[in-house]
Amino acid sequence: MLVLSAVCLIVMGFDLVGPDLVFGGLTALYVTSGIISIRDGAAGFANTGVLTVLVLYLVAEGVSQTGGLDLAMNFMLGRASTVFWAQVRMMIPVMVASAFLNNTPICALMIPILISWGRRCGISPKKLLIPMSFATVLGGTVTLIGTSTNLVVSGLQQEKYGTTDPSKVFQFFTITPYGLPYAIWGMAYIILFSKWLLPGEDAADDLNYGLLVPRTSPLVGRTAKAAGLAGGKLTITGISKGHRTPAVPYTPDMIIHEGDTLFVTGSVTAVEQSVKSFALVLLTSDDDVARKSTPGAAVFGAAAADVEEGFDIAASEGTTNLLQVNLLKGSQLVGQSVRQIGFRGRFGAAVIAVKRSKALQPGRIGDIVLQANDVLLLSTGALFDASTEDFTKNFTGLMYLDEALARQFTTAVRVGKRSKEAGKTIAEVGLRGINGLFLFEIERADGSLLKAVDHDTVLATGDVLWFAGDLEGVAYLQKYTTLEHMQADQVAKLPSDIIYRRLVQVVVSHHNLVGKKLKEVVVSHHDLVGKKLKEVRFRHTYGAAVLGLHRSGQPVAGNISEVPLKAGDVLVVEAGPEFATNFKNNRAFSLISEVPNSSPMKRSKMWIALALTVAMVLTQIIGGAIDKEVIHLWPCAMLTAGAMLAFKCLSADQARESIEWEVYICIAFAFAVSTAMEKTKLALAIANVFVALAQAIGGQTAALACIYLVTALLSELLTNNAAAAIMYPIASAAAEKLLINPNIMSVAVMLGGSAGWILPYSYQCNLMVYAAGKYRTKDFVKIGTPYHLWLFVGVVLILGFGERWQIPVIASLIFTGLVILLPAAYEYLLNDSQKLAVDKKLHALGSSFRRKRSSNSGEEALVEVYGNGSSKDVGSDAANNAAYSNGVAAPASLGHRNRSSAGGVA
């Protein structure tokens, strides 16, 4: 059995097979071989702890669907000016919420809220999302229902001691004396050290671009701030006033004129959005493209020209894509300049920028000699073919950079009388920098249009905001703001109940008339091409309200109901479940697909869902206070979920979909595996090893620390529930040998089972923020590895006091209180001169530390691809760089990586 268990651990560790299938297969083997009985094999499915996990998914979904958690979190977050206070404000309410609700829906709900809030406060979401994930886990260790791991261990202990010793059965707050200081200790680490361990905005994705201002641009005659370009996702680092004029530092009061070239730093997505919104021209060469001064290029890459010929790919081939490739080590292009290769003629592409680590070469892009492993940004036309032999033998790592904006829907919302956004600026309400959402126009209540929206623009009641965004952006507006959709009156008249509605994508079809005679063509009143939505009475005819419109990747301005539809238009509609079934064969639509998890918030049921959840928690609190169970958590959660369904806080389909059946099956089968380990004495044999080790090191505290550490390491490789189920019988046997209180030993397993900090795949919440925050695995390793050591020290201190839990609780509260109160004293008690003195001392220490680090580390740079001239103009470049002595990054080259997060003045 030992060999079989080891093989299964390897299989799960390498994600070859899911833990639910592994445990299910093991259970089948153990039952058929007679190691355990059929009753033992199926016992996990009837365990009240496992069933409680199942039902709590429904409760959490009911709160989430009504927006109650969203309201509470937004109220608690408030406003923060620094990373420190942002993390404090975020972690405390998240930890409290996750102590009583499942952490997965909390994490899913908080991701878009934190991204918006972080942008509103000027703080990178990368500084918030990993701490939020860790906070949900820490909060889950405070109560019995905080995480499924606690309920698994509690259920296993109840199976063993439930009939013989009721004092060893976990109650709602049994874990709290140990979980609370553990959570506080973990929070202290985040707010103390994460500022330096977590990444900020990823400068590796930011290039310096040259943007030509044509005659038709709305920037002409205005400052960038007045037009709305500054203060967004781009940083303006410099400006060239006319052709061949050297770049100078940009200042906010500069008036922009036709023919000026703006040097900006930002991501590909930000540049693409700005080029579309401000009718700018993306440059690839100072001499060849700027001479053309192509006006009115509103399509990203429309002026992207091959350097050696000034060839306009978009103009000749009709469409462009932006992509990134890596030059292979053995490529025949190595050693040749961009001009010599002739990218346009050879590959149907123009080079936008070249990235190369640890090197900075002056000169125009056409003069750059390529080296192995260079990263090239290309603008490609219709003639580009990535499957050709010539392309595949020279390049690898093909990645389309503008796929995220390939489908943008136009949607409009109104600032209503009850909207909390009225009287606030765009930045304050968090409508800047939201992933998948771009505000391109505001229609004022007086009828005036504001096409270039500044982040300082104050919203007023009656304003109509026009957005271009993807499906997630459209859903965000519906769920997480109090803005009224322009089609709200149509939505209110839909026949289906709000709990059954969802977003649906439909494609307007065109009919193939080739080969048919005119008399054979029958024009149906359901045909939408060339008609407006109100002409076909869309809501009445199809029982759906149109919320967004997509047309060839371009924002469509104006009232959606007044826009004549074209074949291929994609509509986002809100409809009931019958829509897809009723119209899947309708000739008006060529494709219908439902958007997952897009049900609108049932805000009218919010207080009902919150009241029911609070009542459920209160029954457990009262039971713990009087030391008598008022009602068991499982039937109490069942009643709560049933009441939520009865009050229509969520639908039956949403309730079913909220349950993570894989987790349920995994936990249930894990009970059988745990039983088999006990009956075969495998758990006892492994426990003897821990006992001998603990006795050699120092007794009970060493044993508790070892059990925690091994469980924590297993949880990095397996799921948290699998790690806890495997370790519980071992820990229980060790506790009996060393005469350790079984409750305290089980707490060690609970805490260790939740300790997945190093890998993004070790915990579901980590995986969710990993994708949303665009982290890298090394970001988790960097903060998670010392975090493990920090919490291990905390566990030794907390569990070492055993039943004298008051000591670590008080000590952790005092320690964290000082961590929070000292910055609070600085913020609110010191005057400006005192703050300045403190800042100078801290700055001096920080500068000394950075100098030591920089002397031992290389710096990655980008190849200069947009300069004032060829490589011989060294003196000119040096003069321009000297002009940036104030710390603003020199914009003399397109494609030069910005070395500082404050790389320019905007």
Side-chain angles (χ1 to χ4, degrees):
M1 182 173 177
L2 179 62
V3 175
L4 183 60
S5 299
V7 171
C8 290
L9 283 176
I10 294 172
V11 169
M12 288 188 290
F14 284 94
D15 290 328
L16 301 177
V17 181
D20 54 335
L21 298 180
V22 172
F23 284 156
L26 281 175
T27 300
L29 288 175
Y30 294 153
V31 171
T32 54
S33 61
I35 294 177
I36 59 175
S37 65
I38 295 177
R39 181 181 294 276
D40 290 334
F45 290 94
N47 183 273
T48 55
V50 181
L51 292 173
T52 303
V53 172
L54 208 65
V55 182
L56 286 176
Y57 281 120
L58 277 68
V59 175
E61 183 69 12
V63 176
S64 178
Q65 286 290 337
T66 58
L69 197 56
D70 169 39
L71 176 71
M73 288 300 176
N74 274 310
F75 175 78
M76 293 291 292
L77 288 175
R79 184 81 181 176
S81 57
T82 64
V83 172
F84 177 89
W85 286 114
Q87 290 177 346
V88 171
R89 283 182 170 273
M90 176 271 297
M91 291 190 72
I92 292 176
V94 167
M95 288 166 63
V96 171
S98 62
F100 303 103
L101 295 172
N102 185 273
N103 49 20
T104 303
I106 293 175
C107 191
L109 178 75
M110 288 300 297
I111 286 173
I113 293 175
L114 284 183
I115 290 175
S116 174
W117 183 66
R119 301 291 188 191
R120 189 164 67 243
C121 298
I123 296 168
S124 169
K126 288 179 180 287
K127 298 288 188 184
L128 300 174
L129 292 181
I130 284 181
M132 183 270 291
S133 176
F134 288 4
T136 61
V137 179
L138 293 172
T141 63
V142 175
T143 67
L144 180 63
I145 66 171
T147 178
S148 57
T149 306
N150 297 352
L151 290 167
V152 169
V153 176
S154 170
L156 288 167
Q157 183 144 316
Q158 185 174 7
E159 289 286 329
K160 185 169 185 177
Y161 296 106
T163 57
T164 58
D165 190 355
S167 66
K168 293 182 175 61
V169 176
F170 271 78
Q171 302 301 321
F172 193 83
F173 291 111
T174 303
I175 189 179
T176 305
Y178 311 98
L180 180 61
Y182 180 81
I184 294 173
W185 182 252
M187 176 184 167
Y189 172 91
I190 295 294
I191 61 180
L192 279 175
F193 306 115
S194 67
K195 179 180 179 180
W196 296 280
L197 296 176
L198 286 173
E201 291 298 339
D202 195 356
D205 293 334
D206 286 353
L207 298 176
N208 283 356
Y209 297 86
L211 301 177
L212 181 68
V213 181
R215 182 176 60 257
T216 56
S217 173
L219 293 175
V220 175
R222 309 172 69 186
T223 65
K225 181 178 181 180
L229 178 62
K233 299 181 183 180
L234 290 183
T235 299
I236 304 175
T237 58
I239 185 170
S240 175
K241 306 294 284 185
H243 182 50
R244 292 185 178 275
T245 304
V248 297
Y250 171 81
T251 57
D253 59 347
M254 282 186 174
I255 303 295
I256 299 172
H257 300 94
E258 177 187 355
D260 288 352
T261 300
L262 300 176
F263 295 91
V264 299
T265 299
S267 66
V268 170
T269 302
V271 173
E272 180 167 8
Q273 289 177 337
S274 298
V275 166
K276 288 179 179 180
S277 300
F278 297 97
L280 300 172
V281 178
L282 175 68
L283 303 181
T284 59
S285 165
D286 184 23
D287 294 324
D288 297 313
V289 182
R291 186 182 297 117
K292 295 178 63 177
S293 297
T294 307
V299 179
F300 185 64
D306 195 79
V307 222
E308 66 273 19
E309 300 182 31
F311 177 78
D312 191 332
I313 284 182
S316 64
E317 300 178 14
T319 182
T320 62
N321 285 308
L322 194 68
L323 55 88
Q324 176 179 297
V325 293
N326 297 68
L327 188 63
L328 287 169
K329 187 174 182 180
S331 169
Q332 59 184 239
L333 305 182
V334 173
Q336 299 185 53
S337 70
V338 172
R339 180 179 291 105
Q340 290 172 334
I341 295 168
F343 271 81
R344 192 269 305 174
R346 186 167 178 177
F347 300 110
V351 180
I352 297 292
V354 181
K355 294 194 289 186
R356 182 181 301 159
S357 68
K358 299 183 181 180
L360 174 60
Q361 297 181 351
R364 298 185 317 182
I365 185 171
D367 298 328
I368 294 174
V369 178
L370 298 181
Q371 297 182 10
N373 300 317
D374 279 354
V375 179
L376 278 65
L377 271 67
L378 305 177
S379 179
T380 63
L383 299 179
F384 173 77
D385 185 359
S387 63
T388 63
E389 182 182 357
D390 191 22
F391 186 85
T392 55
K393 71 181 182 182
N394 288 296
F395 300 104
T396 186
L398 174 65
M399 180 172 63
Y400 284 90
L401 300 179
D402 51 4
E403 279 185 342
L405 294 179
R407 174 164 292 182
Q408 287 191 331
F409 295 91
T410 299
T411 188
V413 292
R414 180 189 291 110
V415 181
K417 294 180 179 179
R418 297 183 179 180
S419 297
K420 63 181 181 182
E421 290 81 3
K424 298 180 180 178
T425 66
I426 295 295
E428 288 174 340
V429 299
L431 294 177
R432 281 286 194 187
I434 300 172
N435 290 345
L437 204 61
F438 180 67
L439 176 61
F440 66 89
E441 183 177 287
I442 294 181
E443 181 181 344
R444 292 296 195 183
D446 59 4
S448 60
L449 290 178
L450 185 60
K451 290 187 174 292
V453 183
D454 185 11
H455 68 292
D456 290 332
T457 301
V458 178
L459 298 177
T461 302
D463 285 352
V464 177
L465 283 63
W466 290 92
F467 288 90
D470 56 19
L471 284 172
E472 290 185 0
V474 175
Y476 177 89
L477 287 175
Q478 294 295 100
K479 286 190 173 185
Y480 302 111
T481 69
T482 58
L483 298 168
E484 300 174 356
H485 198 277
M486 284 292 289
Q487 301 295 318
D489 57 335
Q490 296 294 316
V491 172
K493 297 175 183 177
L494 291 176
S496 56
D497 196 290
I498 189 172
I499 67 168
Y500 302 116
R501 295 183 206 152
R502 70 285 311 270
L503 297 183
V504 182
Q505 287 188 87
V506 296
V507 180
V508 177
S509 97
H510 62 280
H511 305 296
N512 187 6
L513 306 181
V514 178
K516 293 186 179 181
K517 297 178 181 179
L518 185 60
K519 65 180 181 180
E520 295 175 339
V521 179
V522 179
V523 180
S524 167
H525 73 282
H526 290 304
D527 291 341
L528 298 178
V529 177
K531 298 180 180 179
K532 301 176 182 178
L533 293 174
K534 69 177 185 179
E535 290 177 356
V536 297
R537 302 178 67 197
F538 195 92
R539 177 186 58 80
H540 178 78
T541 305
Y542 300 104
V546 178
L547 303 182
L549 170 64
H550 157 77
R551 177 174 294 167
S552 303
Q554 296 299 314
V556 181
N559 192 332
I560 295 176
S561 62
E562 298 289 345
V563 177
L565 297 177
K566 295 183 178 180
D569 282 353
V570 184
L571 307 176
V572 178
V573 304
E574 185 173 324
E578 70 283 350
F579 179 87
T581 304
N582 293 346
F583 299 105
K584 64 180 180 180
N585 296 319
N586 191 288
R587 64 179 299 177
F589 310 118
S590 59
L591 178 67
I592 297 177
S593 63
E594 294 185 359
V595 180
N597 303 318
S598 59
S599 178
M601 290 284 190
K602 298 84 178 171
R603 298 191 184 275
S604 62
K605 310 291 184 180
M606 178 179 62
W607 294 110
I608 296 176
L610 287 175
L612 290 170
T613 305
V614 170
M616 179 191 75
V617 173
L618 281 177
T619 62
Q620 306 305 306
I621 294 175
I622 294 171
I626 64 175
D627 199 22
K628 181 180 179 182
E629 187 176 78
V630 177
I631 180 174
H632 191 278
L633 182 57
W634 173 47
C636 185
M638 288 283 288
L639 290 172
T640 304
M644 287 184 175
L645 286 167
F647 284 108
K648 294 187 176 182
C649 298
L650 73 166
S651 68
D653 286 341
Q654 289 165 349
R656 296 187 190 97
E657 292 169 1
S658 69
I659 298 173
E660 297 186 25
W661 296 103
E662 180 182 341
V663 174
Y664 173 62
I665 294 171
C666 175
I667 296 173
F669 281 135
F671 273 64
V673 174
S674 179
T675 302
M677 290 179 68
E678 289 182 346
K679 289 193 172 184
T680 57
K681 307 298 182 182
L682 176 61
L684 182 61
I686 299 174
N688 286 333
V689 175
F690 283 101
V691 170
L693 181 63
Q695 289 175 338
I697 296 175
Q700 294 185 348
T701 302
L704 290 167
C706 287
I707 291 294
Y708 167 83
L709 185 60
V710 174
T711 309
L713 294 177
L714 277 179
S715 70
E716 293 285 356
L717 303 175
L718 315 177
T719 66
N720 53 335
N721 293 320
I726 290 172
M727 287 302 298
Y728 175 77
I730 299 171
S732 178
E736 291 178 354
K737 283 270 187 179
L738 293 171
L739 302 178
I740 299 174
N741 185 334
N743 284 355
I744 299 178
M745 183 62 84
S746 293
V747 167
V749 177
M750 290 177 177
L751 298 180
S754 296
W757 317 114
I758 296 178
L759 298 175
Y761 315 103
S762 61
Y763 211 89
Q764 189 168 2
C765 291
N766 289 352
L767 197 58
M768 293 168 70
V769 300
Y770 173 75
K774 298 180 181 179
Y775 291 107
R776 294 163 294 186
T777 301
K778 71 177 185 179
D779 296 329
F780 278 86
V781 175
K782 184 177 180 180
I783 190 173
T785 303
Y787 199 32
H788 256 305
L789 298 176
W790 175 272
L791 287 172
F792 178 72
V793 172
V795 163
V796 171
L797 296 174
I798 293 167
L799 298 184
F801 281 98
E803 297 182 3
R804 295 174 296 166
W805 53 266
Q806 298 89 344
I807 297 175
V809 169
I810 295 172
S812 59
L813 286 172
I814 292 174
F815 175 73
T816 307
L818 290 174
V819 169
I820 296 175
L821 290 175
L822 285 176
Y826 168 88
E827 186 76 21
Y828 300 109
L829 298 181
L830 298 183
N831 57 38
D832 291 341
S833 60
Q834 291 171 328
K835 288 181 181 179
L836 184 61
V838 173
D839 289 345
K840 285 182 177 180
K841 291 181 180 179
L842 293 177
H843 180 72
L845 289 173
S847 298
S848 175
F849 177 72
R850 284 193 294 270
R851 281 195 298 270
K852 291 179 181 179
R853 286 189 60 188
S854 61
S855 64
N856 299 321
S857 62
E859 184 175 359
E860 187 177 4
L862 295 179
V863 177
E864 184 172 7
V865 295
Y866 190 89
N868 293 323
S870 62
S871 57
K872 65 183 180 181
D873 297 331
V874 178
S876 172
D877 289 344
N880 287 336
N881 288 338
Y884 284 77
S885 59
N886 61 353
V888 180
S893 64
L894 171 68
H896 181 283
R897 176 170 298 160
N898 187 19
R899 289 191 174 96
S900 169
S901 60
V905 180

